[in-house]
């Protein structure tokens, strides 16, 4: 089904075209990073991939939190602690990224933990075709230990990032595509900053 050609859809189609130029075939993982508020953009991007005929799946790093007791073991959560200890990247790789990349009939999980209830979620395994797309959103996806997992990454530059993340990961320098989504009706591509 063709989506109406709104400025948002046209901008998202351009991003899908850029991603497909980088990875025309095979399983593709696209990260949407940028503080909070990435889910709506990632949902819309997934819809445009579907419009283009891709078997598209959605996930959020927010569904891979660590238990509250683990995150606050050394005291109340701090900005540094939130950056370093919030998410369970081992589980993210084990149940989502690695099996998704394997293709074939290997199942993968798009969620592992319910942060609001502070409990693991019951496994719901999915499978996908050989040219499937996974769009994952959330904070800190361009940190050094994750950035090579993505075929492409979109950074929403209008969302404020935590200072420690900006200093350690430099997401604006490593993202494939920079977007200002402060006007969700008409997101705007942003030029990469000049290197110092």
């Amino acid at each position: 089904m063709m989506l109406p050609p709104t400025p948002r859809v046209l901008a998202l189609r351009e991003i899908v075209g850029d991603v497909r130029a980088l990875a025309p075939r095979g399983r593709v993982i696209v990260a949407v990073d940028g503080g909070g508020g990435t889910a709506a953009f990632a949902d819309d991007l997934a819809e445009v991939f579907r419009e283009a005929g891709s078997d598209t799946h959605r996930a959020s790093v927010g569904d891979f939190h660590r238990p509250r007791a683990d995150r606050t073991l050394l005291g109340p959560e701090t900005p540094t602690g939130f950056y370093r200890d919030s998410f369970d990247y081992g589980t993210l790789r084990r149940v989502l990224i690695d099996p998704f990349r394997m293709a074939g009939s290997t199942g993968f999980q798009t969620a592992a933990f319910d942060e609001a209830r502070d409990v693991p979620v019951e496994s719901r395994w999915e499978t996908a075709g050989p040219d499937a797309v996974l769009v994952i959103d959330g904070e800190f996806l361009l940190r050094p230990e994750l950035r090579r997992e993505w075929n492409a990454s979109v950074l929403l530059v209008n969302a404020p990032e935590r200072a420690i993340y900006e200093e350690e990961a430099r997401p604006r320098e490593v993202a494939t595509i920079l977007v200002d989504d402060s006007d969700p009706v008409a997101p705007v591509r942003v030029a990469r900053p000049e290197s110092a």
Side-chain angles (χ1 to χ4, degrees):
M1 179 178 104
M2 289 298 287
L3 298 169
T6 64
R8 184 173 183 86
V9 168
L10 294 174
L12 292 169
R13 284 178 183 159
E14 183 180 319
I15 292 169
V16 166
D18 289 350
V19 171
R20 280 308 189 187
L22 292 169
R25 292 196 320 247
R27 295 245 176 132
V28 175
I29 305 178
V30 181
V32 178
D33 192 348
T38 54
F41 190 92
D43 287 343
D44 291 349
L45 184 61
E47 279 303 310
V48 174
F49 271 108
R50 287 182 190 109
E51 173 193 56
S54 298
D55 175 15
T56 306
H57 300 262
R58 273 283 288 120
S60 173
V61 76
D63 293 323
F64 291 87
H65 266 277
R66 293 178 61 222
R68 193 169 294 116
D70 292 352
R71 296 190 323 256
T72 58
L73 189 62
L74 302 175
E77 226 168 35
T78 64
T80 299
F82 183 75
Y83 172 64
R84 299 210 188 285
D85 303 323
S86 285
F87 302 105
D88 185 347
Y89 299 118
T91 298
L92 176 72
R93 281 189 178 99
R94 189 178 69 253
V95 304
L96 177 59
I97 295 170
D98 292 345
F100 182 83
R101 286 230 184 267
M102 291 172 79
S105 60
T106 304
F108 54 91
Q109 247 182 287
T110 56
F113 196 81
D114 182 334
E115 183 195 13
R117 295 181 347 181
D118 198 36
V119 295
V121 297
E122 187 175 327
S123 297
R124 190 176 133 249
W125 295 93
E126 299 180 28
T127 59
D131 293 324
V133 174
L134 171 65
V135 178
I136 182 168
D137 78 284
E139 292 184 88
F140 313 140
L141 293 178
L142 293 173
R143 58 192 304 143
E145 63 269 35
L146 287 179
R147 64 177 64 141
R148 287 189 178 90
E149 302 290 355
W150 325 127
N151 297 89
S153 56
V154 177
L155 179 68
L156 303 182
V157 298
N158 52 292
E161 293 288 4
R162 297 177 191 273
I164 186 169
Y165 179 49
E166 289 281 358
E167 291 167 18
E168 286 193 6
R170 304 203 180 280
R172 288 175 187 251
E173 295 174 17
V174 299
T176 310
I177 298 166
L178 303 175
V179 175
D180 184 338
D181 194 39
S182 51
D183 177 3
V185 172
V188 176
R189 296 280 289 264
V190 176
R192 186 164 306 287
E194 302 260 340
S195 26

